[in-house]
Amino acid sequence: MRPQSQTWAMIVATTIVVTLSMVAVDSNAWVRAPLVLAFLAVVPGLAIVRLLRIADAFAEIVIGTALSIALASGVSAALLYTGYWVPESGLGILMGIASAATSVEVVRARRLQSGDAL
């Protein structure tokens, strides 16, 4: 079990809430854009890569960033091809992916703590 599972879950949840609130209230673009871009470039992919339990932290960050960019591109392309291009929807899909992956990690960590196998 990774001791940082709870900490990572709180970071992801906080990042999602802050990013979502900035987009929902249509805050100043100079504040909103860097936050949303940072979220898109890091959080969804890293949330998935943490499930792989890679021992090297640097490799985990590099692979997670690459996966985040690939996920953002794939979601955007899917929205374009379906004719439903709404940037907020794409952001919501990526937030859902990050939330689901983080939830799986937390459940796995709790089961490992209690001695159940996953």
Side-chain angles (χ1 to χ4, degrees):
M1 180 187 83
R2 290 180 136 175
Q4 306 96 348
S5 293
Q6 297 293 342
T7 305
W8 174 248
M10 291 304 296
I11 290 171
V12 169
T14 303
T15 306
I16 288 173
V17 168
V18 169
T19 304
L20 187 60
S21 64
M22 289 293 207
V23 171
V25 299
D26 199 26
S27 67
N28 187 353
W30 292 103
V31 176
R32 183 182 63 229
L35 182 66
V36 171
L37 288 174
F39 173 83
L40 292 174
V42 177
V43 177
L46 197 55
I48 293 172
V49 168
R50 286 183 54 86
L51 296 174
L52 300 176
R53 299 179 186 167
I54 298 173
D56 185 17
F58 181 73
E60 189 175 70
I61 292 170
V62 170
I63 295 169
T65 302
L67 183 58
S68 287
I69 294 168
L71 283 170
S73 299
V75 168
S76 297
L79 289 174
L80 280 172
Y81 283 128
T82 59
Y84 187 69
W85 173 247
V86 179
E88 290 82 5
S89 296
L91 185 61
I93 291 168
L94 291 170
M95 287 179 177
I97 290 170
S99 297
T102 303
S103 298
V104 168
E105 182 182 4
V106 168
V107 168
R108 180 190 286 172
R110 288 188 180 166
R111 284 192 177 178
L112 287 174
Q113 265 184 342
S114 68
D116 294 340
L118 182 66

